[in-house]
Each structure stands twice: as structure tokens, then as C-alpha cells.
Amino acid sequence: MATNPGILTDWPWTPLGSYKYVVLAPFVVHSIHSYITKDENERDLSNFLIFPFLLWRMLHNQIWISLSRYRTAKGNNRIVDRTIEFEQVDRERNWDDQILFNGILYYLVNLTMKGGSHLPFWRTDGILITILIHAGPVEFIYYWLHRALHHHYLYSRYHSHHHSSIVTEPITSVIHPFAEHISYFLLFAIPLMTAALTETGSIALFLFYITFVDFMNNMGHCNFELIPKKLFSIFPPLKYIMYTPSYHSLHHTQFRTNYSLFMPFYDYMYGTMDKSTDTLYETSLKREEESANVVHLTHLTTPESIYHLRVGFASLASKPQSTSQWYMWLMWPVTFWSMIVTWFYGQTFVIERNIFKNLNLQTWAIPRYSIQYTTVKQRESINCLIEEAIVEAERKGIMVLTLGLLNQGEEMNSNGELFIRRNPKLKVKLVDGSSLAVAVVLNSIPKGTTQVAIKGNLSKVSNSIAIALCRRGVQVFISCEYGYKRLTETCDSETQKNLVLSDSSSQQIWLVGDKLGKKEQMKASKGTLFIPFSQFPPKKLRKDCFYCNIPAMSAPVHLQNLDSCENWLPRRVMSAWRIAGIVHALEEWNVHECGNMMFSIEKIWKATLEHGFRPLPVPT
């Protein structure tokens, strides 16, 4: 929102929320019906193609969003180092409003103006006229309109909303109040209306010009430099007729320079060119890929999780995965195709970067879904991908690599010990975060608790929790006979007294692992508190019970560039497994935490609190 919002700030359909797309429905339905029912000679292909073109614009923008986030996470050619937070993501959530607005106006012009309908596919004269008009009047008018928007009256009421984003993303280019978008549409409509009035318009012209505007807008706000210097060397005058991402980035950091649209010519002419433009351009081009200190290695979970990645849909990534949207069902063809591709092919890729104190943090994703971890045939290929990532981390000099969701137990890779055995001279330390997960669960159990039940699949974490509780005098009820026997073999006789093999469900505190069935969960008494010890939360089937998050803690305020949620966790909350790697690096513990190894629970809990991480409130 602008600092002092003026009239026509909000979009007319803002109250509709996610259902705003219905405003376009009458035009789309009329277009399809008209094309199907009319005779071949009366059909208007240009009208029919408006809706597919709007979908193309959304896809085009999304491609730029994903590319920009991927490149800025890696760091090579990044322009501005400042970070993005949830506030900016929320402000830029409705980037498709301008596509809806333009779509309605396209339909209205097509239905009411003679030269706007029944267009031929190609007309060379119309395209040449459009190029000349854009390079002349459009660029000139935009320059002075833009300078006017930086006058304190208009800036405070409108344009300051756009400049709230100092670190730009491609969608920042279209984040403006409604009134400002009206002025931009009128400006960019000049070439198209001229073609319509002179009857030189064509479908190709319409597609080319709007795609060109979108392309240049997205490129200018992508925060990484991609225009090769050789291009300007071959044709030096190009620097006056084509801007670069670093050129426009300076406008967002300096505010009073580089006002031009796509052609810097007018900034040179009127003396508003930033003096550091060329220097920033060259330094951005030379910037190499960023070296991380800590890497969190994870994988895809549900089929829809590919959209929740930070490099996916920005708005979805800023919400927990559990908040699925109705339109995700429409994406199933793409979702299914992505699953098939990752099943047979895929390489680890960077999805996020964060900064904490003196550490550069990155998150890498292995393109495999949770369901693939349950397939015996996939285990070897998945372990190979994990090992390749470990070797890559070793090559890059990374201090700590956390295994994240990849630590799938003894059957998968012996709790990560497999990689230590295969690579005994590793300098990068592998951390599975089990000790901190145990500490978080233990500190989530209400004081005064005398009995707990452990349900679901047992693990390294649950076994450590059970032993710690037994030593505190808490009775631990375990329903799995095999798990009970293994525990009794690893603890002393005094501890064994508090271990109980029983199917009882009367305990008010349930510590739950994976595969907690519906039938078993329904046996819980009213008011039971479910505390997960695994990385996958149980389904919330009981409204009369309470559910904790998976072992996790809230991040300190100075942990930067945190603008996406980690799987199903709330904002600015990180899993214990991810936090453990950060603390491991900060404390410079020169040991692995894999296999059966566990850190001191008290030691890692104290260190984590000292670095600013805080436990989450327990629901009661």
C-alpha cells in the first residue's frame, strides 16, 4: 500500500479474493460460444485467442518468477544483496490483477471497435508502425509520466507502493495501484489503437507487442544480470535503446535516476542517468555463484509440493502446504507430468538462500517425492543422488550439510551412516538433527506429565525420547512389541521399569510417528495432545484433541530472506532438523551426527536457545 493511498488504489474485484477470476468468465464463455456456434466465415479468431493469450501471459510471468528466484538463490550475477521477506510476497501476491484488467479491456475493444475484431494473422505495415510508435511517443511519454509519479504528491499516493520493493522480482514490475495501471494501459494502448484505427492490426502484432512489454518488464526487475557484454560491444548504440536489469535495479535503490521505460535514451538526454550504471552492470556480470556455509538437503513431499517450493508459486510458497487451493486440481496434468519426469530423471537444485549471522545458508532439493522413498527399487538411485549432493558440498567447501527429510531410517541409508562409510574422509559434516528433535519434543511435553504413549513407526528419535522420559520417571507405553524389545536391550534395568508394553490408549499425551492410522487415532480419549516426533505430521482427524507441529522452533528476527514456509510449518518457523545444521556450524562442532550417534540433548538445546531460536507454544 502507498504511504498515503489515493483514490482508485484498490482493484474493483478485491472483495472477491480468490474468486476474482469470475469477472472474466462472461467474456470467455461468450467468446467460446460464439466461435463454436457461428459459421466459419463469421468466426472471429482474434476474439477466441484472447483467453489463451491471457493464460500465456500468466505462464510467461511464472517462468520469469521461477528463473529469477533460482538464479538469485544461487547468487551468480545477482545485483542486489538485500533480502526479501513475507511482507513483500504478500504485497505482490495479486500480480495477475493487471492481466485480468487488460483481458476485460481487450474483449471490450474487440467487441466494440471495427478495427479490433476479425484481425488477419499477419500484417507487416502494422508491426512496423507499432515499433516506431513505441520507440517514439510511448517511450517519451512514459519517461515524463514516470518522473511525474516521483513527484511527492503522486509518489505518496500511488507510486510508493511499487517502490516498497527495493529488491525486485519479475512480478514487482506490475505491482501498482489500480489508478496507475489505468494510465499504463492507456499508454501501451497507443500503438495497438493506432493499428486498429488504421486497420493495420493483426493477431501477430497483438501477441508480439504485449509479450514484448511483459518480457522487458520481467527482465528489468529480475535482480540478476543476464545481458552479455559482448552484445553491446558488437553494437555500441544498443546501450541507448535497451536497458538491463542492473540499470533498472538502480532506479529502485536510488529512486531519482534511470526513469526510462526500456530505452535509456531519454535518461542520457535529460541527465537522469545514474553514474554507477555501467559499473554495476559489469560487476554483476562478473559475480560468481555464491558459496554456502550450511546446506539443508530436502526433497519433494506431496505431488503438489512442487508448486510450494520457493522457486515455484511465490504466494503458495509463503503458506504452509496444508492450505491447498481449489485451483490446484486444475494443475493435475502438469503435476502428474512433473512426477513422471522426476521418477526417471532429475538433479539436485538450489531452491532457497538465507543469511544468519555470519553464515550463508542454502536449501537444496532432490527431485524425488516421498512416495518414491517407499519403493525398494528407488532406494539405490535416491541414495546415489544424496551422495552426489554430499560430494558436491565437499567440493564447494561447505561446512555442514543437514539431511532434512532424507533421513528415512535404517532401511533407507542406516540413518545416514551409509554415506559416512562410503566417504570416510569427508570434511563436510553430515547432521541429521535427531538430538535437537528429541530436545524439542521433550520440552513440548507439559510439566507434571506422568504417562505418555508412543504410537506409529518408531525411530532413532522416538527411542531417545523414550529413554530420556523413563530416566525422568515418566511411564512410556509402547504398543510395538519389536520396538519394545529393542529399547529394553539398549537401556539399564532402572530405565526398563518405566517402559510398558501395552496397547492402551488412555494416556493424554501421545508421541506419534509416521503411519499413525485413522483407526488408532480414533481410539484416543478426548483432549489428547498429539506431539509428532517425525518429520511428517499426522492428519488432524479429531476436533476434540490437540495437535502440535512437528519438532520445530521459531526463527530469530535477524534470520534474513525467509519468505517461504518449510513444508507444512507456519511462517518463520523452521524444523529442528534444519536448525540443527545451523547451530552445528555456529558452534563449530567438528563431528558428524549420523547413524546411531546423538549429541547431548541439554547441550544442543541450550546452544539453540542462545542463538535466538524459540520453542513454539503447545496447544492446550
Short mmCIF file of all heavy atoms in Angstrom, two decimals, residues 3 20 49 102 112 134 252 275 294 296 299 401 427 449 462 506 512 538 552 567:
data_model
loop_
_atom_site.label_atom_id
_atom_site.label_comp_id
_atom_site.label_asym_id
_atom_site.label_seq_id
_atom_site.Cartn_x
_atom_site.Cartn_y
_atom_site.Cartn_z
N THR A 3 2.11 5.09 0.84
CA THR A 3 2.21 5.71 2.16
C THR A 3 0.98 6.55 2.50
O THR A 3 0.60 6.67 3.65
CB THR A 3 3.46 6.60 2.22
OG1 THR A 3 3.46 7.51 1.11
CG2 THR A 3 4.73 5.74 2.15
N LYS A 20 -11.86 -13.81 -7.88
CA LYS A 20 -11.86 -12.64 -8.76
C LYS A 20 -11.92 -13.01 -10.23
O LYS A 20 -12.34 -12.19 -11.07
CB LYS A 20 -10.63 -11.78 -8.48
CG LYS A 20 -9.31 -12.51 -8.76
CD LYS A 20 -8.11 -11.68 -8.31
CE LYS A 20 -6.79 -12.42 -8.54
NZ LYS A 20 -5.63 -11.66 -8.05
N LEU A 49 -8.86 -16.10 -29.37
CA LEU A 49 -7.49 -16.28 -28.88
C LEU A 49 -7.15 -15.39 -27.69
O LEU A 49 -6.07 -15.53 -27.11
CB LEU A 49 -6.50 -15.99 -30.01
CG LEU A 49 -6.43 -17.04 -31.13
CD1 LEU A 49 -5.47 -16.59 -32.21
CD2 LEU A 49 -6.01 -18.40 -30.58
N ASN A 102 -6.50 -6.08 -18.15
CA ASN A 102 -6.22 -5.97 -19.58
C ASN A 102 -7.10 -6.88 -20.40
O ASN A 102 -7.57 -6.52 -21.49
CB ASN A 102 -4.75 -6.30 -19.86
CG ASN A 102 -3.80 -5.25 -19.30
OD1 ASN A 102 -4.23 -4.21 -18.80
ND2 ASN A 102 -2.52 -5.51 -19.36
N THR A 112 -16.36 -3.86 -29.64
CA THR A 112 -16.94 -2.55 -29.95
C THR A 112 -16.25 -1.79 -31.07
O THR A 112 -16.83 -0.88 -31.66
CB THR A 112 -16.93 -1.66 -28.69
OG1 THR A 112 -15.59 -1.52 -28.22
CG2 THR A 112 -17.79 -2.29 -27.59
N HIS A 134 6.14 2.89 -30.53
CA HIS A 134 6.67 2.55 -29.20
C HIS A 134 7.99 3.27 -28.95
O HIS A 134 8.21 3.86 -27.88
CB HIS A 134 6.88 1.05 -29.05
CG HIS A 134 7.49 0.69 -27.72
ND1 HIS A 134 6.74 0.47 -26.59
CD2 HIS A 134 8.80 0.56 -27.34
CE1 HIS A 134 7.56 0.24 -25.57
NE2 HIS A 134 8.81 0.28 -26.00
N HIS A 252 15.41 1.43 -8.34
CA HIS A 252 14.74 1.01 -7.11
C HIS A 252 15.59 1.24 -5.87
O HIS A 252 15.06 1.26 -4.76
CB HIS A 252 14.33 -0.46 -7.22
CG HIS A 252 13.04 -0.66 -7.92
ND1 HIS A 252 11.84 -0.86 -7.27
CD2 HIS A 252 12.74 -0.68 -9.24
CE1 HIS A 252 10.86 -0.99 -8.15
NE2 HIS A 252 11.39 -0.89 -9.36
N LYS A 275 25.20 7.53 -12.48
CA LYS A 275 26.62 7.44 -12.85
C LYS A 275 27.22 6.06 -12.62
O LYS A 275 28.22 5.70 -13.22
CB LYS A 275 27.42 8.49 -12.07
CG LYS A 275 27.04 9.92 -12.43
CD LYS A 275 27.86 10.92 -11.62
CE LYS A 275 27.48 12.36 -11.98
NZ LYS A 275 28.25 13.34 -11.18
N VAL A 294 26.29 -23.58 5.10
CA VAL A 294 25.42 -24.67 5.55
C VAL A 294 24.40 -24.96 4.46
O VAL A 294 23.81 -24.03 3.88
CB VAL A 294 24.68 -24.30 6.86
CG1 VAL A 294 23.76 -25.44 7.30
CG2 VAL A 294 25.68 -23.96 7.96
N HIS A 296 20.92 -27.27 3.61
CA HIS A 296 19.83 -28.13 4.07
C HIS A 296 19.34 -28.91 2.86
O HIS A 296 18.83 -28.34 1.90
CB HIS A 296 18.70 -27.27 4.66
CG HIS A 296 17.50 -28.06 5.08
ND1 HIS A 296 17.55 -28.99 6.10
CD2 HIS A 296 16.22 -28.08 4.63
CE1 HIS A 296 16.35 -29.53 6.27
NE2 HIS A 296 15.53 -28.99 5.38
N HIS A 299 13.69 -32.91 -0.02
CA HIS A 299 13.08 -33.45 -1.24
C HIS A 299 11.62 -33.03 -1.31
O HIS A 299 11.06 -32.45 -0.36
CB HIS A 299 13.22 -34.98 -1.28
CG HIS A 299 12.46 -35.71 -0.20
ND1 HIS A 299 11.09 -35.89 -0.24
CD2 HIS A 299 12.88 -36.31 0.93
CE1 HIS A 299 10.70 -36.57 0.82
NE2 HIS A 299 11.77 -36.83 1.56
N LEU A 401 26.14 -30.14 6.21
CA LEU A 401 25.02 -30.50 5.34
C LEU A 401 24.02 -31.29 6.17
O LEU A 401 24.34 -32.33 6.74
CB LEU A 401 25.51 -31.35 4.16
CG LEU A 401 24.44 -31.69 3.11
CD1 LEU A 401 25.02 -31.63 1.70
CD2 LEU A 401 23.85 -33.07 3.35
N LYS A 427 35.12 -33.83 4.84
CA LYS A 427 35.31 -32.64 5.67
C LYS A 427 33.98 -31.99 6.00
O LYS A 427 33.82 -31.41 7.07
CB LYS A 427 36.22 -31.65 4.94
CG LYS A 427 37.66 -32.13 4.78
CD LYS A 427 38.52 -31.09 4.08
CE LYS A 427 39.96 -31.58 3.92
NZ LYS A 427 40.79 -30.57 3.21
N THR A 449 3.64 -34.31 33.62
CA THR A 449 3.17 -35.50 32.92
C THR A 449 3.81 -36.74 33.54
O THR A 449 5.02 -36.79 33.77
CB THR A 449 3.55 -35.42 31.42
OG1 THR A 449 2.90 -34.28 30.85
CG2 THR A 449 3.10 -36.67 30.68
N SER A 462 12.41 -41.40 18.46
CA SER A 462 11.45 -41.88 19.46
C SER A 462 12.14 -42.72 20.53
O SER A 462 11.77 -42.66 21.71
CB SER A 462 10.35 -42.69 18.78
OG SER A 462 10.87 -43.87 18.18
N SER A 506 -5.37 -44.70 26.76
CA SER A 506 -5.96 -43.79 27.73
C SER A 506 -5.07 -42.61 28.09
O SER A 506 -5.52 -41.65 28.72
CB SER A 506 -6.32 -44.57 29.01
OG SER A 506 -5.13 -45.14 29.56
N VAL A 512 3.74 -39.27 18.50
CA VAL A 512 3.34 -40.02 17.31
C VAL A 512 4.38 -39.90 16.20
O VAL A 512 4.99 -38.86 15.98
CB VAL A 512 1.96 -39.55 16.78
CG1 VAL A 512 0.90 -39.81 17.82
CG2 VAL A 512 1.98 -38.07 16.43
N PRO A 538 0.85 -35.90 11.62
CA PRO A 538 -0.33 -36.76 11.45
C PRO A 538 -1.51 -35.94 10.92
O PRO A 538 -1.56 -34.72 11.11
CB PRO A 538 -0.60 -37.25 12.87
CG PRO A 538 -0.08 -36.15 13.75
CD PRO A 538 1.12 -35.59 13.02
N ALA A 552 9.93 -28.32 15.81
CA ALA A 552 10.29 -27.08 15.11
C ALA A 552 10.40 -25.95 16.12
O ALA A 552 9.92 -26.06 17.25
CB ALA A 552 9.26 -26.75 14.04
N ASN A 567 7.66 -26.63 4.16
CA ASN A 567 6.62 -27.66 4.06
C ASN A 567 5.33 -27.20 4.74
O ASN A 567 4.75 -26.22 4.34
CB ASN A 567 7.14 -28.98 4.61
CG ASN A 567 8.33 -29.52 3.82
OD1 ASN A 567 8.33 -29.45 2.59
ND2 ASN A 567 9.34 -30.01 4.50
#
